[in-house]
Amino acid sequence: MTWDKRFSDFRSDTVTRPTLPMRRAMAEAEVGDDVFGEDPSVNRLEARIAELLGKEAAVFVPSGSMSNLVAVRSLCRPGDEMICEAESHIFNNEQSAYAQICGVAARPVQGQRGILRLEQLMSCIRPRGIHYARTRLLTLENTHNLGGGTIQPYEEVARICQWAHDQGLVTHLDGARIFNAVVATGIPASAWAQHFETVNVCFSKGLGAPVGSALVGSKDIIADARRHRKALGGGMRQAGILAAAALYALEHHIDRLCEDHELARRLAEGLASIEGLELDPPIVETNMVFFRVDPRWGTASALCTRLAEGFGVLMNPVGPQRVRAVTHLDVGPADVDRALQALSKVMRSQPLVPA
Ligand code: TLP
């Protein structure tokens, strides 16, 4: 590998660079014009991801954000309302594109570590009437990013989606990291997906591909999503080069996600014993480690700056006192050791005084 090891980069699992065998698969990819439906590699990828998720069809899109957006666009009309978790990516991190572009309102509900319970949702459906938005869509996120890389409890997902469907709603899963949940629980992707009309899957996170996501669902919904992708400028041409990387990732990088989870646990255990740091949430379920910095030491962003400048360890401040560290293909045990040493040195470098 030739990437720059001056840095141990825990900012996100999006930072991975394609491995040599993945690059080879990309170089050798058969391609065609995908807007004409003629790229064999894209067609193979769409068929494969649809099959893995037990759905009829899939459309390859440039990003998870576009995948979520074309899902909302395909499932809702302007004036509809979408129920979502208050810390979810679709609600917080996609510029409210559901509103900007789809004319859809959001009804956020605060979960616990990103996890919603059915009882919280029951009062969220608006009455029918001329005064109200039409409650139309329920979205969940699995694994839940800001919740801590947490896994939605499977039985609760089934209960929530059954209830939503009984109420005449449709459901979308932001499964950017669904394969992390699959590997951690042993529950197949198709079992998770069966409860949703559409699922977004990202290839460019833990799976290690450079670009791309897919939206999966029924033939009709995906045909519609394909039209919306084009309107948003997401119709790509010889995209088989990218699809080949995603196909490679599906074949070679799913099972290894457990290594990322193991490494995240190692990082978390080390962190928990450093004075002034506290895990939040306290249990690491997949590849994300969130922790809080004691305000008597300073802020999360001051800590991340010191880690980067002094030790080449990159982490992300995600709140005044909260930091996120993510494990992935391009970090190994030596990076975790380096991060723990750096953290303990930085934390010891100044006393915990009242802020
Ligand atoms: N998440 C990124 C940042 O945008 C925060 C990250 O580093 O984790 N759904 C979920 C759950 C995500 O975490 C992300 C990206 C997306 C959707 C959007 O994917 P992209 O970045 O491909 O648009």
Side-chain angles (χ1 to χ4, degrees), residues 23-331:
R23 285 172 193 257
R24 237 173 253 133
M26 296 171 76
E28 289 164 8
E30 251 190 299
V31 295
D33 191 325
D34 180 49
V35 173
F36 294 153
E38 290 172 3
D39 189 302
S41 302
V42 172
N43 293 343
R44 254 202 311 280
L45 174 65
E46 291 178 346
R48 178 73 186 124
I49 191 68
E51 180 193 351
L52 274 174
L53 275 88
K55 298 285 187 203
E56 285 175 354
V59 58
F60 185 47
V61 290
S63 66
S65 302
M66 189 184 286
S67 190
N68 284 334
L69 177 56
V70 295
V72 175
R73 184 75 181 83
S74 303
L75 297 172
C76 298
R77 292 194 313 239
D80 284 351
E81 190 166 70
M82 152 184 113
I83 302 173
C84 56
E85 201 282 323
E87 307 295 329
S88 62
H89 197 278
I90 199 168
F91 182 58
N92 294 288
N93 298 82
E94 296 172 18
Q95 291 188 18
S96 302
Y98 55 85
Q100 282 195 53
I101 295 168
C102 309
V104 168
R107 176 95 176 233
V109 182
Q110 187 69 51
Q112 232 193 357
R113 295 174 289 108
I115 289 161
L116 294 171
R117 301 279 161 199
L118 174 56
E119 289 64 31
Q120 294 178 270
L121 303 176
M122 287 178 159
S123 58
C124 291
I125 298 195
R126 292 190 186 274
R128 284 185 184 276
I130 203 163
H131 299 286
Y132 307 112
R134 184 179 68 145
T135 311
R136 167 68 179 157
L137 171 65
L138 171 89
T139 67
L140 296 180
E141 184 174 310
N142 195 23
T143 61
H144 195 291
N145 183 344
L146 276 183
T150 45
I151 301 167
Q152 301 287 334
Y154 183 80
E155 295 305 329
E156 196 63 14
V157 168
R159 248 164 46 97
I160 287 174
C161 292
Q162 180 63 55
W163 165 83
H165 289 133
D166 290 346
Q167 302 299 315
L169 308 189
V170 286
T171 57
H172 168 70
L173 176 65
D174 180 355
R177 296 184 178 83
I178 189 61
F179 286 107
N180 292 84
V182 167
V183 164
T185 59
I187 299 171
S190 56
W192 289 107
Q194 69 179 323
H195 303 291
F196 299 89
E197 266 71 26
T198 51
V199 182
N200 160 44
V201 182
C202 290
F203 306 114
S204 61
K205 312 245 160 16
L207 294 183
V211 178
S213 295
L215 185 72
V216 299
S218 69
K219 273 190 187 137
D220 286 350
I221 294 173
I222 297 305
D224 211 27
R226 201 177 287 284
R227 280 185 58 78
H228 297 309
R229 178 189 70 168
K230 185 70 179 70
L232 292 168
M236 298 178 284
R237 302 295 179 174
Q238 286 71 39
I241 289 185
L242 304 175
L247 276 164
Y248 182 91
L250 287 177
E251 201 166 324
H252 299 279
H253 291 170
I254 293 181
D255 292 343
R256 64 150 306 285
L257 288 171
C258 61
E259 295 170 27
D260 298 345
H261 299 176
E262 182 49 41
L263 217 53
R265 274 194 291 273
R266 224 176 108 172
L267 178 62
E269 273 164 27
L271 269 168
S273 65
I274 297 174
E275 203 192 347
L277 302 182
E278 192 189 352
L279 286 175
D280 170 35
I283 293 167
V284 167
E285 296 181 43
T286 56
N287 68 331
M288 295 192 174
V289 181
F290 284 79
F291 58 96
R292 284 191 182 272
V293 187
D294 190 327
R296 289 174 300 164
W297 182 91
T299 62
S301 86
L303 176 66
C304 292
T305 304
R306 293 272 292 276
L307 288 174
E309 288 176 356
F311 302 89
V313 171
L314 307 184
M315 293 184 179
N316 233 353
V318 291
Q321 302 305 135
R322 199 171 184 228
V323 178
R324 183 183 78 162
V326 186
T327 54
H328 50 77
L329 255 173
D330 286 3
V331 289

